[in-house]
Amino acid sequence: MSKATNQQATEQFESMFVAPARSFGALNLDYTEKLVAAQFDAIRALADMGMAQARGLLDVRDAESLKAAVETQQKASQDMGERLRGDAERIMSLSQEYVQQSQKLAEDGIKAATTAAK
């Protein structure tokens, strides 16, 4: 095998297998990082809300403070529901973006393989 042939084979291997695998790996890593960050944000926010509510219940001393605590609980439940809905939409958006980028990488890989085969 000549040096030129060996170089050409190496370049073909790089362009057909290594580069697409690297791109897909980078996409997976980026998606995972964003997904984990979104989940940590959601957990932190929900934990903070829960702790605030628990602290609020500790301040109940009479009927008036109980009424205020119950009203705060209701508001917190609404806020938590809205937060969960927003977090779900954020994760869905990340997933849709990931699928679109994965499809583009696959299409690019197929085009590159088709071109190389010709």
Side-chain angles (χ1 to χ4, degrees):
M1 211 180 214
S2 73
K3 198 171 193 177
T5 306
N6 194 15
Q7 179 65 27
Q8 184 181 8
T10 301
E11 288 173 4
Q12 270 188 326
F13 182 75
E14 168 69 27
S15 67
M16 291 181 65
F17 299 107
V18 176
R22 187 178 298 122
S23 296
F24 193 66
L27 176 65
N28 283 331
L29 185 60
D30 185 50
Y31 172 72
T32 301
E33 183 179 21
K34 289 177 182 177
L35 184 60
V36 168
Q39 290 172 337
F40 274 137
D41 288 347
I43 290 168
R44 184 175 296 116
L46 294 176
D48 288 347
M49 283 184 204
M51 296 303 281
Q53 291 307 302
R55 290 190 194 289
L57 290 175
L58 291 175
D59 292 336
V60 173
R61 302 276 187 248
D62 55 18
E64 191 62 35
S65 60
L66 176 62
K67 180 181 176 189
V70 168
E71 289 172 356
T72 302
Q73 289 279 7
Q74 290 173 343
K75 174 71 171 122
S77 293
Q78 289 174 340
D79 292 347
M80 200 173 291
E82 290 173 14
R83 172 68 196 224
L84 290 172
R85 190 171 23 265
D87 290 338
E89 289 172 1
R90 181 177 173 192
I91 290 172
M92 290 280 291
S93 175
L94 285 173
S95 298
Q96 288 173 347
E97 180 183 329
Y98 173 77
V99 167
Q100 290 170 350
Q101 290 178 349
S102 295
Q103 287 174 340
K104 183 175 181 339
L105 283 175
E107 289 170 3
D108 291 347
I110 290 170
K111 285 177 187 174
T114 303
T115 302
K118 290 180 181 179

